[in-house]
Amino acid sequence: MNSSNEVKSSVKQNRALEVWKQYRRNKGAMIGLVILIILILIAVFADVIWDYETDITAMQVGDRLLKPCLEHPFGTDNYGRDMLARIGYGTRYSLSIGFVSVLMGVIIGVPLGALSGYIGGRFDTILMRLVDTFTIIPSLLMTIILVSVLGTNLLNLMIALSISTIPVITRITRASVMVTRNSDYIESARAIGAPVHTILLKHVLPNCFSPILVQATLRVGTSIISAAGLSYIGLGVPLPTPEWGALLSASKSFIINAQHMCLFPGLAIMITVMVINLVGDGLRGALDPKLKR
Amino acid sequence: MLKYVIKRILMIIPVVLAVSFIVFFIMDFVPSDPAVTALGDGATEEQLEYYRETHGLNDPLVVRYVRYMGGILHGDMGTSYANNQQVWDLFFAKFPNTLRLAVASVVVTVVLSIPLGVIAAVKENTWVDTVCSTLSFIGLAMPNFWLGLLLIMLFAVNLGLLPSTGADGFASLILPAITCGTGNMAALTRITRSSMLDVLKQDYLRTARAKGQSESKIITHHAFKNAQIPVVTQIGIQMSTLIGGAVLTERVFAWPGVGAFLVDSIQKSDFEVVTGFVIMLAIFVSIVLLIVDVLYAFMDPRIKAQYARS
């Protein structure tokens, strides 16, 4: 018994090592991973680097709308606040919205998709029709409707975004469960009388892990963009929170005389999403060499 | 074939029922009061109550839903609480603008990404391929509305070449169409590339080459023709998302379309407009998806045969 456990864990280790080796070969994915780690560190230590009261929200009317200079590399906004500090602090919001909303979507979408794919039948038909219905309503509109029902704050924004993530995750989980369901080893697990939840958790889902992980990673980027969009139309995180979409929304009125206010928050969103997509692509290549293209 | 189309059109009915019920159900939770939207903040409690009673707002959800759907069957989509206009009229006042923007954006996307995808596939793993995939990678990560702001900054503010807002003639369509179009470029380029790569490895292309056909004819006549299906699917998906999802672009350019008006109505909790608009959008999205499926039959005789059987 003991030795079989050891064998199992060493097999797992080998697999992880193998994936890491594959991943490391992809230069873009490595660059993406390094930048993503830096961004996560900035997000985690934002309140150590900057003081929320003095650096982020305090107004310095004398420094209004300064162009990028040595003291303010990204310039200042219409209240004289340093844009670099505000964008840096904003990393916290965008990253947490992206990751938490996708995590919530995964927590609900994976069990739904797994059950739907494994059990099939009427449950599957009804659930899939429901998923289709949600897909027919454009997801951004759905999120807007949900946010206005729930009220605008950070948590509600995450919930609304996670609801539009659920159909995506449910679909991909269902598809890959349906492929694994008919494998011989699942058949034999069923034959020895293993209960459904054991089969699903121990045998089916671990083999569906890669496509779900890849899809979820790519979805983080989409959620960050949607969140910024909602903040842009005033339905996301309320001001003076330096969320990137809110910063862009504030820049609208100064598009003639302070274009840096619009340039840098957008760049921050773009680079973050690009980095996450690079990591997602790298994972896809490393986890499933067949899918590389 | 005709039987298939009719079957698909009939399938739109349950979709509309489901969509309308979901929207009805969710909108029921909106904290604000439609009576206040209609009468304004100055109205007394008696006036508000009278309005709610006469408009049936106090009835249970299911009763209101059944009455609403009954109205739709008689061609009545209700009236806006905010400005007392017919929802049907409001929708068709805005929809042509949305459709115009959607079509123009798809044209921009197709014109840019199909050649890029084909070239990237033909020159697989060369610098051309790298440039194409880098471009589409950047496009995928760029928030659409930010691109819109950048375009306004460059072409309207700095160069003064194009109008920044409104829907007044062809010139005002250019920037919104580029904004929506390039946003979708990334996906279409990638799909064109990968479906071309699949086809390029097939035996019949080798046969065509062996016959001595010119390379350009092989690419356009033999390869691309067979790589079309995923490409058309993607175009259909884009068209359907653009019909309701160009909200942000419409906002950035003050484009008087369905999406921007819908968002305003959501914020004003103009219940009838939101429900009616979402139902109409669902119908149009379903129609676009149906058109895509029918187009398959024209592109691939095997699919046509399948439709005839079903």
Side-chain angles (χ1 to χ4, degrees):
Chain A
M1 192 70 193
N2 220 353
S3 71
S4 95
N5 271 348
E6 266 167 35
V7 170
K8 249 189 213 165
S9 75
S10 89
V11 166
K12 259 186 196 158
Q13 256 175 17
N14 273 342
R15 166 93 176 120
L17 209 69
E18 191 64 33
V19 169
W20 172 238
K21 250 192 202 157
Q22 280 285 341
Y23 186 91
R24 237 177 20 189
R25 272 199 218 145
N26 185 338
K27 244 188 251 159
M30 279 311 281
I31 297 172
L33 185 65
V34 171
I35 301 176
L36 183 62
I37 291 173
I38 295 173
L39 287 173
I40 292 174
L41 287 176
I42 294 176
V44 171
F45 294 108
D47 47 3
V48 181
I49 310 173
W50 298 284
D51 182 67
Y52 191 76
E53 300 293 325
T54 56
D55 297 329
I56 308 297
T57 53
M59 304 181 187
Q60 319 245 296
V61 186
D63 293 341
R64 292 186 77 225
L65 302 176
L66 290 182
K67 295 243 146 56
C69 56
L70 222 54
E71 201 187 336
H72 304 287
F74 288 1
T76 60
D77 70 359
N78 50 322
Y79 294 112
R81 295 176 292 210
D82 183 43
M83 286 296 285
L84 176 62
R86 281 177 71 75
I87 291 172
Y89 206 92
T91 315
R92 194 167 244 210
Y93 299 100
S94 290
L95 282 187
S96 57
I97 291 168
F99 282 103
V100 174
S101 69
V102 169
L103 191 67
M104 293 199 273
V106 167
I107 289 173
I108 298 173
V110 168
L112 280 181
L115 282 177
S116 184
Y118 188 76
I119 300 174
R122 194 167 290 170
F123 177 74
D124 181 43
T125 316
I126 293 174
L127 191 74
M128 279 306 114
R129 286 295 88 77
L130 199 67
V131 166
D132 284 347
T133 314
F134 268 88
T135 328
I136 288 276
I137 305 174
S139 71
L140 191 64
L141 271 184
M142 194 68 209
T143 318
I144 291 171
I145 294 178
L146 287 168
V147 166
S148 44
V149 170
L150 298 166
T152 49
N153 65 44
L154 192 62
L155 181 69
N156 290 342
L157 181 61
M158 289 175 181
I159 294 174
L161 285 169
S162 74
I163 289 177
S164 46
T165 306
I166 293 171
V168 181
I169 302 289
T170 307
R171 269 233 176 103
I172 191 107
T173 311
R174 173 176 177 270
S176 43
V177 165
M178 282 172 80
V179 173
T180 351
R181 184 179 61 180
N182 298 324
S183 319
D184 288 340
Y185 62 91
I186 304 294
E187 198 63 49
S188 53
R190 228 179 286 149
I192 59 168
V196 174
H197 64 267
T198 317
I199 297 179
L200 272 179
L201 285 177
K202 280 207 148 164
H203 304 292
V204 178
L205 280 179
N207 287 296
C208 305
F209 176 70
S210 341
I212 298 172
L213 179 70
V214 170
Q215 194 61 39
T217 315
L218 295 174
R219 194 68 206 174
V220 172
T222 323
S223 291
I224 290 178
I225 292 181
S226 305
L230 284 168
S231 295
Y232 179 80
I233 54 176
L235 284 171
V237 189
L239 286 169
T241 317
E243 201 272 338
W244 293 338
L247 294 183
L248 279 177
S249 179
S251 78
K252 251 182 312 184
S253 325
F254 304 95
I255 202 160
I256 294 174
N257 47 13
Q259 300 187 337
H260 62 271
M261 272 181 73
C262 168
L263 190 65
F264 293 111
L267 269 181
I269 301 172
M270 192 177 97
I271 290 171
T272 309
V273 175
M274 216 148 92
V275 160
I276 291 170
N277 288 349
L278 279 173
V279 172
D281 262 16
L283 281 176
R284 194 205 310 257
L287 287 168
D288 193 350
K290 277 176 296 183
L291 282 176
K292 227 168 182 175
R293 224 176 49 218
Chain B
M1 184 73 196
L2 188 68
K3 224 168 106 190
Y4 174 80
V5 173
I6 292 171
K7 212 166 109 189
R8 283 288 306 266
I9 291 175
L10 289 177
M11 270 163 67
I12 296 178
I13 297 169
V15 169
V16 168
L17 282 175
V19 167
S20 59
F21 189 75
I22 289 176
V23 177
F24 224 83
F25 182 74
I26 295 175
M27 287 303 284
D28 201 48
F29 288 100
V30 174
S32 62
D33 187 348
V36 178
T37 309
L39 303 178
D41 291 327
T44 63
E45 185 49 42
E46 286 82 41
Q47 286 171 320
L48 291 175
E49 188 52 37
Y50 179 74
Y51 186 88
R52 282 187 214 118
E53 201 51 53
T54 48
H55 285 76
L57 294 170
N58 288 332
D59 296 336
L61 177 74
V62 179
V63 175
R64 276 181 288 135
Y65 179 69
V66 171
R67 190 169 47 218
Y68 182 80
M69 292 316 283
I72 285 189
L73 285 181
H74 294 99
D76 173 22
M77 297 203 90
T79 45
S80 156
Y81 294 135
N83 59 17
N84 228 4
Q85 271 179 290
Q86 289 283 321
V87 172
W88 180 266
D89 297 341
L90 281 171
F91 184 84
F92 283 100
K94 306 282 171 194
F95 190 67
N97 287 328
T98 294
L99 197 63
R100 200 143 52 99
L101 178 57
V103 171
S105 318
V106 168
V107 169
V108 171
T109 314
V110 168
V111 166
L112 289 175
S113 31
I114 290 183
L116 269 182
V118 171
I119 292 169
V122 173
K123 309 257 174 207
E124 193 193 359
N125 293 332
T126 61
W127 66 270
V128 185
D129 187 17
T130 316
V131 169
C132 290
S133 38
T134 311
L135 275 181
S136 72
F137 219 81
I138 293 173
L140 206 61
M142 199 184 243
N144 241 348
F145 60 98
W146 181 56
L147 176 64
L149 288 173
L150 291 183
L151 289 175
I152 290 181
M153 225 153 80
L154 183 62
F155 290 102
V157 177
N158 294 352
L159 299 175
L161 287 176
L162 293 164
S164 62
T165 52
D168 193 22
F170 181 72
S172 63
L173 184 63
I174 297 175
L175 291 185
I178 292 177
T179 305
C180 283
T182 42
N184 291 322
M185 208 183 103
L188 192 62
T189 308
R190 284 183 151 199
I191 283 174
T192 311
R193 176 179 179 272
S194 67
S195 64
M196 273 299 279
L197 280 176
D198 281 341
V199 175
L200 284 175
K201 298 204 169 83
Q202 304 282 335
D203 287 341
Y204 61 83
L205 283 199
R206 198 162 3 115
T207 312
R209 279 201 192 99
K211 281 196 315 191
Q213 213 155 46
S214 74
E215 195 62 29
S216 64
K217 208 167 182 185
I218 290 174
I219 300 297
T220 51
H221 276 63
H222 296 272
F224 184 65
K225 224 173 170 181
N226 283 289
Q228 270 172 352
I229 288 204
V231 173
V232 169
T233 312
Q234 183 61 28
I235 294 173
I237 292 173
Q238 285 179 7
M239 189 75 194
S240 62
T241 49
L242 279 170
I243 284 177
V247 179
L248 291 169
T249 309
E250 291 185 358
R251 264 297 177 91
V252 170
F253 291 98
W255 185 262
V258 170
F261 190 76
L262 188 49
V263 173
D264 286 339
S265 305
I266 293 171
Q267 283 169 323
K268 281 189 271 188
S269 66
D270 198 341
F271 195 88
E272 303 265 301
V273 171
V274 176
T275 320
F277 270 46
V278 174
I279 290 175
M280 291 305 290
L281 288 177
I283 292 174
F284 276 103
V285 170
S286 309
I287 291 174
V288 170
L289 296 179
L290 172 62
I291 292 174
V292 170
D293 279 356
V294 173
L295 278 180
Y296 287 165
F298 285 100
M299 288 182 306
D300 192 332
R302 283 166 298 187
I303 296 180
K304 193 170 183 178
Q306 214 174 31
Y307 286 168
R309 271 201 306 275
S310 70

